[in-house]
Amino acid sequence: SLVNKWEVFPITALTKECNLCCCGIMYAESANEDVLYWLLNTLSIYPDFISIIMTIITDEDHSFINAFKKWVSSIKKPNVNHVICALHKSRNFSNKLIKYGFSKTQRALLKNLFKIVCYHPNLEYVHKALEKLHNFTPRLTHYIEKYIVPYLKNFSHSYLCNALCHGTNTSSPA
């Protein structure tokens, strides 16, 4: 049926020349790790894709994170980086704050701290903001430990120094 909701999976990348580009878009009724792995393998057929792509920037889809890891090991090009879009990460964090029932004032404070984590280049400031977030409530502590800290190297500007992303930690070239 054409009534089904389709998901859009753009592949935003940064080339060796630091050009931000859209390498492809997949529309799928549903996607999982296998489908996303297929997408990356299909793009890999094109020699230009493998030779010039240095960083792929995506949303926080865990299926894509797993597919990317599997794909990078299969192409034997370990210097391809995966950056999680900080804008998407911020939106997911904001939605979690609503789900946890924080007041509007609390959400504003926590979102400002999270913006520091996402976009500030100074690691010391990022650590101070993370500490405040971590100590806010036990429920938020769990979320920070499970969904933020393990992925800092993929989305936090201050942690991206080893990834070729030219300071870019958002996925929309538009």
Side-chain angles (χ1 to χ4, degrees):
S1 163
L2 294 177
V3 181
N4 293 334
K5 291 184 178 182
W6 289 78
E7 293 183 67
V8 179
F9 294 91
I11 301 296
T12 304
L14 198 68
T15 67
K16 285 191 251 185
E17 295 81 26
C18 294
N19 292 317
L20 190 62
C21 62
C22 181
C23 297
I25 297 175
M26 178 180 74
Y27 292 90
E29 184 177 356
S30 66
N32 57 33
E33 182 179 331
D34 293 333
V35 171
L36 294 167
Y37 178 69
W38 170 85
L39 171 63
L40 290 168
N41 276 327
T42 301
L43 289 171
S44 299
I45 293 169
Y46 301 97
D48 284 347
F49 180 76
I50 291 293
S51 66
I52 66 170
I53 298 306
M54 295 304 293
T55 302
I56 293 180
I57 308 168
T58 68
D59 64 10
E60 194 180 3
D61 186 293
H62 290 284
S63 295
F64 193 94
I65 292 168
N66 294 332
F68 179 84
K69 289 177 186 173
K70 183 178 171 183
W71 173 72
V72 165
S73 66
S74 74
I75 63 167
K76 296 176 178 52
K77 187 178 177 184
N79 59 341
V80 177
N81 302 293
H82 181 215
V83 172
I84 297 171
C85 174
L87 177 64
H88 285 91
K89 192 79 172 159
S90 295
R91 286 180 184 162
N92 293 343
F93 181 74
S94 182
N95 290 337
K96 192 60 72 173
L97 298 177
I98 292 168
K99 182 180 175 185
Y100 287 173
F102 290 112
S103 71
K104 189 174 184 176
T105 304
Q106 289 173 318
R107 288 194 315 266
L109 169 72
L110 295 168
K111 286 194 274 187
N112 283 334
L113 288 169
F114 196 70
K115 281 182 185 176
I116 292 169
V117 172
C118 289
Y119 300 109
H120 204 285
N122 184 299
L123 198 55
E124 185 179 333
Y125 287 138
V126 169
H127 285 169
K128 286 178 183 178
L130 266 174
E131 184 178 344
K132 289 177 183 177
L133 288 167
H134 189 270
N135 295 329
F136 202 76
T137 66
R139 194 170 188 194
L140 191 57
T141 297
H142 173 65
Y143 181 79
I144 297 296
E145 289 174 354
K146 187 168 182 179
Y147 297 104
I148 303 301
V149 172
Y151 298 102
L152 287 169
K153 67 180 177 48
N154 297 98
F155 78 91
S156 175
H157 186 74
S158 64
Y159 279 81
L160 289 173
C161 57
N162 293 327
L164 176 64
C165 63
H166 201 51
T168 301
N169 61 349
T170 56
S171 63
S172 176

